[in-house]
Amino acid sequence: MADDVWILGASMIKFGRLPDKDLLDISSEAALGALADAGASMADIEILAVGNQFEPLGGVGQQLQKQIGQTGIPVYNVTNACATGASALRIVSMAIKAGEAEMGLAVGAEKMGKARLGGGGATAGKAVYERHGRSGAVMSTEGVLGTDFMPGVFAQAGMEYAHHHDGVGFEQFARVAEKNHAHSSLNPLAQYQKVFSLDEVMGSPMMSYPNTLLMCCPTGDGSAAVVVASGEKLETLDPDVRRRAVKVSASVLTTDPWVDGGHQQPDVNTLTRNAADKAYEQAGVDPQDLDLVELHDCFATAELVHYDNLRLCEPGGAGDFIDSRGPWRDGRIPVNVSGGLISKGHPIAATGVANVYEIVTHLRGEAGDRQIEGATVGLAHVIGLGSTCAVHILERAAT
């Protein structure tokens, strides 16, 4: 147990568009909430990692300290695309594993407001076919050989999966969004809590086939935080803190290996499979042991391909998995009971920590109406294009 890492406290604010609160307001709220949940204060924290994608040059971690307590501890400001929050948690966990700290705080916070869907675009003007840039390209590949437009990237991933596997089409992708909107209706912290029928999902405006508007995550503001401690530290704490502690059984971070075509179109599959396989081995669990999963469903197509990448179904069986209601709350392996990014929201840096918060809440039996009864093992997954994938496996374990 001395080498184990445990989550003692977790907090998440309600995601949404919060024009009356700035980045420090929302990050302070989550951080103080996690500390209170752990029965701790900043005086107990020996390392702080703060994830933020859009304002990282402002020293957000140091600014946050001025709001919640300046104690001179090491502070890491983290940016790693959509995996930013999960990377902050991993930094704190590794410091504890290394013996540099006994207790730490990881925070993910983002102010996005009503931002547009990210991505690239074709360059206007006269085409000059001369080699330029680091890769010696003669022209932009945007819209020709691939795309950086987020709905397009994940639409392409979904359509490629559908091309290679029977039983996957527009309806299967839409069923993912139908499920997540239904799940969010039970989550008071979700940005949206409205149920949509399958026909409404399929009939909403098309963004990038097969992703309609209701199959895309919204932008917004949000934050989440967790307090992490060593096993040795946990043994010294109050019995109620020990009872509610959740073990971090695996923490894995991967990036893209080289794959054919990867320079033209982001590969969201290989690094996820690599991270999942390593995490299962590290935790000593099988995918079928999972009681719930929070995965990166920035678009409905992303969730469906990740059923396969995370080994939640048989190879090529993602279509059958959603058709059989396998990932619903009452299914074989519930996925995105929170509503997922599609309906819970996706303030970039907060997402990785928020996914962990959701798993922790269920493992403690504190998820209210959306509770997965008897949950003991959960997996949190996030992927940031570029690309980076983080997988954490969490367990409720006797201490």
Side-chain angles (χ1 to χ4, degrees):
M1 179 174 171
D3 293 331
D4 293 338
V5 174
W6 297 79
I7 293 175
L8 307 184
S11 178
M12 170 185 161
I13 73 166
K14 178 177 170 57
F15 285 1
R17 293 181 182 137
L18 310 172
D20 297 329
K21 295 182 177 181
D22 66 18
L23 183 64
L24 294 182
D25 290 330
I26 63 175
S27 57
S28 297
E29 184 177 346
L32 292 173
L35 289 167
D37 188 52
S41 72
M42 278 302 292
D44 300 305
I45 300 300
E46 297 172 310
I47 180 173
L48 170 65
V50 179
N52 178 262
Q53 181 67 14
F54 294 123
E55 301 178 47
L57 299 181
V60 176
Q62 285 83 347
Q63 293 181 51
L64 177 59
Q65 276 195 115
K66 294 176 181 179
Q67 301 296 312
I68 64 176
Q70 290 176 269
T71 57
I73 60 174
V75 171
Y76 292 85
N77 291 294
V78 184
T79 178
N80 209 4
C82 297
T84 292
S87 298
L89 170 57
R90 181 159 166 76
I91 286 170
V92 173
S93 299
M94 288 192 296
I96 290 172
K97 282 272 193 182
E100 294 186 355
E102 288 189 309
M103 190 180 296
L105 175 63
V107 182
E110 205 76 76
K111 283 283 293 183
M112 296 179 70
K114 196 173 183 179
R116 70 180 182 88
L117 291 166
T123 301
K126 183 179 178 180
V128 178
Y129 298 107
E130 297 177 354
R131 290 187 177 275
H132 66 283
R134 184 175 295 275
S135 63
V138 297
M139 63 180 291
S140 170
T141 63
E142 178 63 42
V144 181
L145 298 177
T147 181
D148 285 333
F149 185 54
M150 295 299 104
V153 168
F154 288 96
Q156 176 68 21
M159 292 305 291
E160 183 177 6
Y161 188 88
H163 175 72
H164 291 292
H165 303 292
D166 294 335
V168 179
F170 184 32
E171 184 171 322
Q172 282 65 45
F173 294 122
R175 288 186 188 278
V176 170
E178 177 196 20
K179 168 185 69 71
N180 290 352
H181 286 296
H183 284 175
S184 73
S185 68
L186 299 176
N187 185 3
L189 298 180
Q191 183 165 346
Y192 297 113
Q193 295 148 46
K194 184 177 180 180
V195 175
F196 292 94
S197 69
L198 182 63
D199 286 342
E200 287 175 315
V201 171
M202 296 174 73
S204 63
M206 185 60 66
M207 296 292 103
S208 184
Y209 187 87
N211 288 314
T212 68
L213 181 63
L214 290 176
M215 296 158 71
C216 301
C217 65
T219 60
D221 311 326
S223 63
V226 291
V227 173
V228 185
S230 66
E232 288 184 347
K233 181 66 175 180
L234 181 63
E235 290 176 338
T236 70
L237 300 177
D238 183 90
D240 190 55
V241 174
R242 298 201 302 270
R243 178 185 63 79
R244 298 175 70 243
V246 170
K247 183 181 178 182
V248 181
S249 296
S251 176
V252 175
L253 194 71
T254 60
T255 57
D256 285 326
W258 185 91
V259 295
D260 190 25
H263 287 275
Q264 286 73 42
Q265 188 72 18
D267 171 26
V268 301
N269 300 311
T270 308
L271 77 167
T272 294
R273 295 189 192 111
N274 290 347
D277 291 346
K278 188 173 181 179
Y280 292 132
E281 180 181 3
Q282 195 176 103
V285 303
D286 184 88
Q288 301 309 310
D289 295 329
L290 298 173
D291 295 303
L292 75 161
V293 171
E294 287 288 310
L295 62 76
H296 195 77
D297 62 315
C298 46
F299 301 91
T301 48
E303 175 165 328
L304 190 132
V305 300
H306 288 320
Y307 294 156
D308 203 321
N309 293 331
L310 294 174
R311 321 300 189 185
L312 307 184
C313 62
E314 295 296 321
D320 181 66
F321 188 57
I322 187 65
D323 283 344
S324 65
R325 294 179 63 90
W328 282 75
R329 287 187 65 253
D330 57 355
R332 182 159 51 86
I333 303 178
V335 176
N336 288 333
V337 177
S338 66
L341 282 60
I342 286 175
S343 203
K344 178 183 67 180
H346 183 29
I348 300 293
T351 288
V353 185
N355 286 358
V356 169
Y357 164 84
E358 183 70 16
I359 300 294
V360 167
T361 303
H362 285 272
L363 298 186
R364 289 171 161 180
E366 299 173 357
D369 292 340
R370 69 187 188 281
Q371 176 67 46
I372 300 301
E373 294 300 328
T376 59
V377 185
L379 181 147
H381 159 268
V382 66
I383 186 169
L385 284 187
S387 296
T388 299
C389 178
V391 171
H392 287 88
I393 293 179
L394 311 176
E395 292 187 78
R396 185 184 73 198
T399 60

